[in-house]
Amino acid sequence: MSVQERKERERAGRERLIVATARELAEQQGWDAVTTRRLAERIEYSQPVLYSHFRGKREIIGAVALEGAAEMAAALRGATAAADGPRARVTALARAYLDFAEGNPAVYDAMFRLDGGLAFAREDTPEPLKDAFAALLESLDEVAGDGVRPGLFTEVFWAALHGLATLTRAGRLPPEDAGRRVELLVDRLAVV
């Protein structure tokens, strides 16, 4: 292994450590607790080293969002792969999405609530974000209905899921009706 390859591997390892530490801290104490000073202390590197990888918290949030998007896409695909038929796939997709949001609140915030400097719904949208949307589209394409663009339908269905995730987390919706909400969403929006 060349010196350059070793340095690149070490740099990539430091970046993974910074992102993992930011996620851990955000999940434990919220994103307000994630500061470059605190991260530098936790990873035992100086702040200048941290800044050599990320220009600041915004880029760290973006890195967490990209990692989370890849994880969410895998979770959605995993949940829908075993489902038999369109209705079961859409139901599995909705449950997996809501489970991901509930189980990873800081990552979900990085993806959809906080400014990570990432472009959405544009040509320069990073590939992990495009893939997460594609994971939704793959199951929703077949249930969009006649004359409805599958991408547009996916946006509306995703917005409904995001609303459910956000309102549930904020304690605005009674938890005992969570399963029924998914059923209503699938029954009323998806043509199955």
Side-chain angles (χ1 to χ4, degrees), residues 115-132:
D115 179 9
L118 303 173
F120 282 82
R122 297 190 337 214
E123 201 162 305
D124 61 338
T125 298
E127 205 52 47
L129 299 179
K130 288 180 181 179
D131 189 50

Side-chain angles (χ1 to χ4, degrees), residues 86-162:
R87 186 179 199 296
R89 268 189 297 284
V90 174
T91 301
L93 174 89
R95 288 192 176 127
Y97 183 97
L98 295 171
D99 288 347
F100 182 87
E102 181 182 351
N104 303 280
V107 173
Y108 192 82
D109 284 349
M111 293 168 64
F112 300 120
R113 192 179 68 78
L114 302 174
D115 179 9
L118 303 173
F120 282 82
R122 297 190 337 214
E123 201 162 305
D124 61 338
T125 298
E127 205 52 47
L129 299 179
K130 288 180 181 179
D131 189 50
F133 186 80
L136 291 166
L137 180 63
E138 289 162 9
S139 291
L140 297 172
D141 184 4
E142 64 186 327
V143 298
D146 293 336
V148 178
R149 278 191 359 255
L152 180 62
F153 178 76
T154 300
E155 291 170 355
V156 171
F157 200 89
W158 173 28
L161 288 173
H162 177 69

